[in-house]
Amino acid sequence: MQFYQFNFVISQHFVNKSVKEYLALLLIPKHVRGLLRQDKRLFLNGQPVSTAALLAACDKLSFKLSADDFSEKQQVYPSNNLQQISIVYENDDCIIVDKPAGMKMHPHSPNETDTLLNFVQAALAGRRSHGLPASAYVVHRIDTDTSGLVLIAKNPLAAAVLNQLIAKKIIKRTYLAWVSGHLSEPNSTITLPIAQDPKNPYVRIVDPSGQPALTRWVKMHVVYQNTLLRIQLATGRTHQIRVHLAAIGHPLIGDRLYGGPDYPRLLLHSASIELPDLFTDYQQLRRVTSPLPADFPRQLYLR
């Protein structure tokens, strides 16, 4: 069996923490922490150690994990299509790519190979992550018709930690969207709950029985009663931006599903992602940005 090798040098921030506390602060999933403890896979300065051991500055903690230690398996085949994927940022644990509008996120059947995840898997050929070949793991999704940045993990532990960073709202995602109409306020927050439409599983609706959802927007620009918004999500419900803006009477331009004015594409762009390096104290964020694609208008002269 092949193993990912994880090695950490203890910083001053974690001095006098126990190994147990340290792993929890790194957001290592609980079931993984249990495996490391039960299988005696934890080593401090090269020696086996219990989770009760206290850490000192510059100590070296290490452990190994295999893909079989995780319930989520990587089963995406690399695409033979020579589609070029724009890599905006990469480190040993993750990759951020710039998805064009119209490209599906991931395959729904094993024989599908024309999705972003297939193209990323092909782009990762020859790359390694913590000692093993890198594989593409979805962390968050954007709609097929949405363009912009997508965060993808390169190993299963990174995927699990990044998902927690999103859930804890440490990772921040910002979108740009053209919407119909003139919003009178300079900024606002939408807190309408979102549920699946009982008549159509591919559609979402605002409903009191739905999941909590929070969308913050700031008005950037108005042209002919169409407004460019900067939007941040505090939750990640399916179609959240599209449903929320339609619900307040300002559907996205090009959003046929939710009543937006006709346009060649959905005018929603994933413009930036702020994220920390993994396995740190998660206090410092780096901001990765995507330029507006050519088919996303800077000025929208749509009457």
Short mmCIF file of all heavy atoms in Angstrom, two decimals, residues 259-297:
data_model
loop_
_atom_site.label_atom_id
_atom_site.label_comp_id
_atom_site.label_asym_id
_atom_site.label_seq_id
_atom_site.Cartn_x
_atom_site.Cartn_y
_atom_site.Cartn_z
N GLY A 259 -35.49 33.39 -14.54
CA GLY A 259 -36.20 34.55 -15.05
C GLY A 259 -35.36 35.76 -15.39
O GLY A 259 -35.89 36.88 -15.47
N GLY A 260 -34.07 35.57 -15.62
CA GLY A 260 -33.23 36.70 -15.98
C GLY A 260 -33.36 37.09 -17.44
O GLY A 260 -33.77 36.28 -18.27
N PRO A 261 -33.02 38.33 -17.77
CA PRO A 261 -33.06 38.77 -19.16
C PRO A 261 -32.14 37.93 -20.04
O PRO A 261 -31.11 37.44 -19.58
CB PRO A 261 -32.58 40.23 -19.09
CG PRO A 261 -32.83 40.64 -17.67
CD PRO A 261 -32.62 39.41 -16.85
N ASP A 262 -32.50 37.78 -21.29
CA ASP A 262 -31.74 36.95 -22.21
C ASP A 262 -30.36 37.54 -22.47
O ASP A 262 -30.20 38.76 -22.61
CB ASP A 262 -32.51 36.80 -23.52
CG ASP A 262 -31.88 35.76 -24.44
OD1 ASP A 262 -31.49 34.70 -23.92
OD2 ASP A 262 -31.76 36.03 -25.64
N TYR A 263 -29.37 36.66 -22.53
CA TYR A 263 -27.98 37.05 -22.81
C TYR A 263 -27.24 35.78 -23.21
O TYR A 263 -27.63 34.67 -22.80
CB TYR A 263 -27.33 37.71 -21.58
CG TYR A 263 -26.10 38.50 -21.91
CD1 TYR A 263 -26.21 39.78 -22.46
CD2 TYR A 263 -24.82 37.97 -21.72
CE1 TYR A 263 -25.07 40.51 -22.79
CE2 TYR A 263 -23.69 38.69 -22.04
CZ TYR A 263 -23.81 39.97 -22.58
OH TYR A 263 -22.68 40.69 -22.92
N PRO A 264 -26.16 35.89 -24.01
CA PRO A 264 -25.47 34.68 -24.47
C PRO A 264 -24.92 33.79 -23.37
O PRO A 264 -24.72 32.59 -23.59
CB PRO A 264 -24.35 35.23 -25.35
CG PRO A 264 -24.86 36.54 -25.84
CD PRO A 264 -25.68 37.09 -24.70
N ARG A 265 -24.65 34.33 -22.18
CA ARG A 265 -24.16 33.51 -21.07
C ARG A 265 -24.69 34.06 -19.76
O ARG A 265 -25.17 35.20 -19.68
CB ARG A 265 -22.63 33.48 -21.04
CG ARG A 265 -21.97 34.86 -20.86
CD ARG A 265 -20.60 34.77 -20.23
NE ARG A 265 -20.66 34.34 -18.84
CZ ARG A 265 -19.60 34.28 -18.03
NH1 ARG A 265 -18.41 34.60 -18.48
NH2 ARG A 265 -19.74 33.90 -16.77
N LEU A 266 -24.61 33.24 -18.73
CA LEU A 266 -24.96 33.69 -17.37
C LEU A 266 -23.87 34.64 -16.89
O LEU A 266 -22.68 34.27 -16.87
CB LEU A 266 -25.05 32.48 -16.44
CG LEU A 266 -25.31 32.78 -14.96
CD1 LEU A 266 -26.72 33.32 -14.76
CD2 LEU A 266 -25.11 31.52 -14.12
N LEU A 267 -24.25 35.84 -16.47
CA LEU A 267 -23.25 36.83 -16.07
C LEU A 267 -22.94 36.73 -14.58
O LEU A 267 -23.26 37.60 -13.76
CB LEU A 267 -23.72 38.24 -16.46
CG LEU A 267 -23.75 38.48 -17.97
CD1 LEU A 267 -24.08 39.93 -18.28
CD2 LEU A 267 -22.42 38.08 -18.62
N LEU A 268 -22.29 35.60 -14.25
CA LEU A 268 -21.83 35.32 -12.89
C LEU A 268 -20.40 34.79 -13.00
O LEU A 268 -20.13 33.84 -13.75
CB LEU A 268 -22.73 34.30 -12.21
CG LEU A 268 -22.36 33.89 -10.78
CD1 LEU A 268 -22.39 35.10 -9.84
CD2 LEU A 268 -23.32 32.80 -10.26
N HIS A 269 -19.49 35.41 -12.25
CA HIS A 269 -18.07 35.09 -12.35
C HIS A 269 -17.46 34.95 -10.96
O HIS A 269 -17.62 35.83 -10.11
CB HIS A 269 -17.34 36.20 -13.12
CG HIS A 269 -15.88 35.97 -13.29
ND1 HIS A 269 -15.36 34.98 -14.09
CD2 HIS A 269 -14.81 36.61 -12.73
CE1 HIS A 269 -14.03 35.02 -14.04
NE2 HIS A 269 -13.68 36.01 -13.23
N SER A 270 -16.81 33.82 -10.71
CA SER A 270 -16.09 33.59 -9.45
C SER A 270 -14.77 34.34 -9.52
O SER A 270 -13.81 33.89 -10.14
CB SER A 270 -15.86 32.09 -9.26
OG SER A 270 -15.04 31.82 -8.14
N ALA A 271 -14.72 35.51 -8.88
CA ALA A 271 -13.63 36.47 -9.12
C ALA A 271 -12.44 36.30 -8.18
O ALA A 271 -11.30 36.60 -8.57
CB ALA A 271 -14.17 37.89 -9.00
N SER A 272 -12.66 35.85 -6.96
CA SER A 272 -11.52 35.72 -6.04
C SER A 272 -11.81 34.66 -4.97
O SER A 272 -12.97 34.41 -4.62
CB SER A 272 -11.17 37.05 -5.37
OG SER A 272 -12.13 37.42 -4.40
N ILE A 273 -10.73 34.08 -4.49
CA ILE A 273 -10.79 33.14 -3.36
C ILE A 273 -9.69 33.55 -2.39
O ILE A 273 -8.54 33.76 -2.79
CB ILE A 273 -10.57 31.68 -3.81
CG1 ILE A 273 -11.71 31.23 -4.74
CG2 ILE A 273 -10.48 30.75 -2.60
CD1 ILE A 273 -11.51 29.82 -5.30
N GLU A 274 -10.04 33.70 -1.12
CA GLU A 274 -9.06 33.96 -0.07
C GLU A 274 -8.94 32.71 0.77
O GLU A 274 -9.95 32.19 1.28
CB GLU A 274 -9.49 35.15 0.78
CG GLU A 274 -9.51 36.47 0.02
CD GLU A 274 -10.03 37.60 0.88
OE1 GLU A 274 -9.34 37.99 1.84
OE2 GLU A 274 -11.14 38.09 0.59
N LEU A 275 -7.72 32.22 0.94
CA LEU A 275 -7.52 30.98 1.67
C LEU A 275 -6.17 30.98 2.36
O LEU A 275 -5.22 31.64 1.91
CB LEU A 275 -7.63 29.77 0.74
CG LEU A 275 -6.47 29.46 -0.21
CD1 LEU A 275 -6.63 28.05 -0.78
CD2 LEU A 275 -6.36 30.46 -1.34
N PRO A 276 -6.06 30.24 3.48
CA PRO A 276 -4.77 30.11 4.17
C PRO A 276 -4.00 28.92 3.62
O PRO A 276 -4.56 28.05 2.95
CB PRO A 276 -5.19 29.86 5.61
CG PRO A 276 -6.44 29.06 5.48
CD PRO A 276 -7.14 29.58 4.23
N ASP A 277 -2.70 28.87 3.90
CA ASP A 277 -1.95 27.64 3.67
C ASP A 277 -2.48 26.58 4.64
O ASP A 277 -2.83 26.89 5.78
CB ASP A 277 -0.46 27.87 3.93
CG ASP A 277 0.18 28.73 2.85
OD1 ASP A 277 -0.35 28.76 1.71
OD2 ASP A 277 1.20 29.39 3.14
N LEU A 278 -2.54 25.35 4.18
CA LEU A 278 -3.02 24.27 5.05
C LEU A 278 -2.00 23.94 6.12
O LEU A 278 -0.80 24.17 5.97
CB LEU A 278 -3.33 23.02 4.22
CG LEU A 278 -4.47 23.14 3.22
CD1 LEU A 278 -4.92 21.75 2.76
CD2 LEU A 278 -5.67 23.87 3.81
N PHE A 279 -2.52 23.39 7.23
CA PHE A 279 -1.71 22.90 8.34
C PHE A 279 -0.91 24.03 8.99
O PHE A 279 0.26 23.88 9.35
CB PHE A 279 -0.80 21.75 7.88
CG PHE A 279 -1.53 20.74 7.03
CD1 PHE A 279 -1.14 20.47 5.73
CD2 PHE A 279 -2.64 20.06 7.53
CE1 PHE A 279 -1.82 19.55 4.95
CE2 PHE A 279 -3.33 19.14 6.74
CZ PHE A 279 -2.92 18.90 5.44
N THR A 280 -1.57 25.19 9.12
CA THR A 280 -0.99 26.34 9.81
C THR A 280 -1.99 26.76 10.89
O THR A 280 -2.94 26.03 11.19
CB THR A 280 -0.76 27.50 8.84
OG1 THR A 280 -2.04 27.97 8.35
CG2 THR A 280 0.09 27.07 7.64
N ASP A 281 -1.80 27.95 11.44
CA ASP A 281 -2.79 28.44 12.41
C ASP A 281 -4.00 29.07 11.72
O ASP A 281 -4.95 29.51 12.37
CB ASP A 281 -2.16 29.44 13.39
CG ASP A 281 -1.57 30.66 12.70
OD1 ASP A 281 -1.79 30.84 11.48
OD2 ASP A 281 -0.88 31.44 13.37
N TYR A 282 -3.99 29.14 10.39
CA TYR A 282 -5.11 29.61 9.56
C TYR A 282 -5.46 31.08 9.80
O TYR A 282 -6.59 31.50 9.55
CB TYR A 282 -6.34 28.73 9.76
CG TYR A 282 -6.09 27.27 9.42
CD1 TYR A 282 -6.53 26.24 10.25
CD2 TYR A 282 -5.39 26.91 8.28
CE1 TYR A 282 -6.27 24.90 9.94
CE2 TYR A 282 -5.13 25.59 7.97
CZ TYR A 282 -5.58 24.59 8.81
OH TYR A 282 -5.32 23.29 8.50
N GLN A 283 -4.47 31.86 10.25
CA GLN A 283 -4.72 33.28 10.50
C GLN A 283 -4.39 34.14 9.30
O GLN A 283 -4.98 35.20 9.11
CB GLN A 283 -3.89 33.75 11.71
CG GLN A 283 -4.23 33.05 13.01
CD GLN A 283 -5.68 33.21 13.40
OE1 GLN A 283 -6.17 34.32 13.48
NE2 GLN A 283 -6.36 32.11 13.63
N GLN A 284 -3.44 33.71 8.46
CA GLN A 284 -3.01 34.50 7.32
C GLN A 284 -3.67 33.97 6.05
O GLN A 284 -3.58 32.78 5.75
CB GLN A 284 -1.48 34.44 7.17
CG GLN A 284 -0.72 34.97 8.37
CD GLN A 284 -0.96 36.46 8.58
OE1 GLN A 284 -1.01 37.23 7.62
NE2 GLN A 284 -1.12 36.86 9.83
N LEU A 285 -4.33 34.87 5.30
CA LEU A 285 -5.00 34.49 4.07
C LEU A 285 -4.27 35.08 2.87
O LEU A 285 -3.78 36.20 2.92
CB LEU A 285 -6.45 34.99 4.06
CG LEU A 285 -7.38 34.48 5.16
CD1 LEU A 285 -8.77 35.08 4.97
CD2 LEU A 285 -7.46 32.97 5.19
N ARG A 286 -4.21 34.30 1.80
CA ARG A 286 -3.74 34.83 0.52
C ARG A 286 -4.95 34.97 -0.39
O ARG A 286 -5.88 34.18 -0.35
CB ARG A 286 -2.68 33.93 -0.12
CG ARG A 286 -3.20 32.63 -0.67
CD ARG A 286 -2.11 31.86 -1.40
NE ARG A 286 -1.13 31.33 -0.48
CZ ARG A 286 0.13 31.71 -0.47
NH1 ARG A 286 0.56 32.63 -1.33
NH2 ARG A 286 0.98 31.20 0.40
N ARG A 287 -4.91 36.00 -1.23
CA ARG A 287 -6.04 36.28 -2.12
C ARG A 287 -5.63 35.94 -3.54
O ARG A 287 -4.67 36.49 -4.08
CB ARG A 287 -6.46 37.75 -2.02
CG ARG A 287 -7.74 38.10 -2.78
CD ARG A 287 -8.20 39.49 -2.37
NE ARG A 287 -9.47 39.85 -3.00
CZ ARG A 287 -9.58 40.63 -4.05
NH1 ARG A 287 -8.49 41.15 -4.59
NH2 ARG A 287 -10.76 40.92 -4.57
N VAL A 288 -6.39 35.04 -4.14
CA VAL A 288 -6.16 34.63 -5.53
C VAL A 288 -7.29 35.20 -6.36
O VAL A 288 -8.46 35.05 -6.01
CB VAL A 288 -6.12 33.09 -5.65
CG1 VAL A 288 -5.88 32.67 -7.09
CG2 VAL A 288 -5.03 32.51 -4.73
N THR A 289 -6.96 35.87 -7.46
CA THR A 289 -7.97 36.55 -8.26
C THR A 289 -7.98 36.03 -9.70
O THR A 289 -7.00 35.48 -10.18
CB THR A 289 -7.74 38.07 -8.28
OG1 THR A 289 -6.47 38.35 -8.88
CG2 THR A 289 -7.76 38.65 -6.87
N SER A 290 -9.12 36.25 -10.35
CA SER A 290 -9.29 35.87 -11.75
C SER A 290 -9.70 37.10 -12.54
O SER A 290 -10.64 37.80 -12.15
CB SER A 290 -10.37 34.79 -11.88
OG SER A 290 -10.81 34.67 -13.22
N PRO A 291 -9.03 37.40 -13.63
CA PRO A 291 -9.47 38.52 -14.46
C PRO A 291 -10.81 38.19 -15.12
O PRO A 291 -11.14 37.03 -15.33
CB PRO A 291 -8.36 38.66 -15.50
CG PRO A 291 -7.76 37.29 -15.59
CD PRO A 291 -7.86 36.72 -14.20
N LEU A 292 -11.57 39.22 -15.42
CA LEU A 292 -12.84 38.99 -16.10
C LEU A 292 -12.58 38.39 -17.48
O LEU A 292 -11.72 38.87 -18.22
CB LEU A 292 -13.61 40.31 -16.26
CG LEU A 292 -14.26 40.87 -15.00
CD1 LEU A 292 -14.89 42.22 -15.31
CD2 LEU A 292 -15.30 39.91 -14.45
N PRO A 293 -13.31 37.33 -17.84
CA PRO A 293 -13.14 36.76 -19.19
C PRO A 293 -13.68 37.70 -20.25
O PRO A 293 -14.46 38.62 -19.97
CB PRO A 293 -13.95 35.46 -19.11
CG PRO A 293 -14.95 35.69 -18.04
CD PRO A 293 -14.30 36.61 -17.04
N ALA A 294 -13.28 37.46 -21.49
CA ALA A 294 -13.65 38.35 -22.59
C ALA A 294 -15.16 38.42 -22.80
O ALA A 294 -15.68 39.44 -23.26
CB ALA A 294 -12.96 37.89 -23.88
N ASP A 295 -15.88 37.32 -22.46
CA ASP A 295 -17.33 37.31 -22.69
C ASP A 295 -18.13 37.84 -21.50
O ASP A 295 -19.36 37.75 -21.49
CB ASP A 295 -17.81 35.90 -23.08
CG ASP A 295 -17.54 34.86 -21.99
OD1 ASP A 295 -16.91 35.20 -20.96
OD2 ASP A 295 -17.95 33.70 -22.18
N PHE A 296 -17.44 38.42 -20.51
CA PHE A 296 -18.12 39.03 -19.36
C PHE A 296 -17.97 40.54 -19.51
O PHE A 296 -16.88 41.08 -19.38
CB PHE A 296 -17.51 38.56 -18.05
CG PHE A 296 -18.33 38.89 -16.82
CD1 PHE A 296 -19.12 37.94 -16.22
CD2 PHE A 296 -18.32 40.18 -16.27
CE1 PHE A 296 -19.87 38.23 -15.08
CE2 PHE A 296 -19.06 40.49 -15.16
CZ PHE A 296 -19.84 39.51 -14.56
N PRO A 297 -19.07 41.27 -19.78
CA PRO A 297 -18.95 42.69 -20.12
C PRO A 297 -18.53 43.57 -18.94
O PRO A 297 -18.97 43.37 -17.82
CB PRO A 297 -20.36 43.05 -20.59
CG PRO A 297 -21.26 42.06 -19.93
CD PRO A 297 -20.46 40.78 -19.83
#
